[in-house]
Amino acid sequence: QVQLVESGGGSVQAGGSLRLSCAASGYTSSTHGMAWFRQVPGKEREGVATIYTGGGSTHYADSVKGRATIWEDNAKNTVYLQMNSLKPEDTAMYLCAAGAAKGPAWWVLRPTSYKYWGEGTQVTVSS
């Protein structure tokens, strides 16, 4: 059974940084799509950043380009998301997802492309 456990969220002032972690277990495939999404109550889930594990490509939402970096640590089965220059509009529940097939940006930034989800970690950015 695939499990995704997020950590690293918290409260930070605008302009600050956070590093989110997603530890994956139970996955039998060595290469697959993983991603970070975020959701605010009442709004659609938004793709933030994606990576195809095993040295594959990355994609970022326009809203975070230049401020976010996603990468993997294969030895730890963990995917990270570094967010810099945080803005109040970055406030959301950040969720890790896994199980997407390889594809273009519009595909891998879509929530329905993913099979597995974590519970999420809250990020709050104050002005």
Side-chain angles (χ1 to χ4, degrees), residues 5-12 17-24 34-39 46 48-49 51 64 67-73 77-84 86 90-97 120-125:
V5 179
E6 303 96 332
S7 61
S11 296
V12 63
S17 299
L18 280 175
R19 179 176 296 181
L20 307 182
S21 302
C22 173
M34 292 189 70
W36 285 96
F37 286 79
R38 63 188 181 187
Q39 189 158 27
E46 177 192 17
V48 176
I51 187 168
V64 302
R67 302 189 296 121
T69 303
I70 186 171
W71 75 97
E72 58 173 332
D73 183 332
N77 291 325
T78 299
V79 169
Y80 301 92
L81 178 70
Q82 177 74 33
M83 293 280 293
N84 300 324
L86 283 161
D90 293 318
T91 295
M93 180 68 76
Y94 282 71
L95 303 106
C96 180
T121 184
Q122 178 68 35
V123 171
T124 302
V125 184

Side-chain angles (χ1 to χ4, degrees), residues 34 50 54 58 60 76 80 88-89 106 109 121 125:
M34 292 189 70
T50 77
T58 58
Y60 297 91
K76 296 182 179 179
Y80 301 92
E89 51 263 44
W106 69 265
L109 285 169
T121 184
V125 184

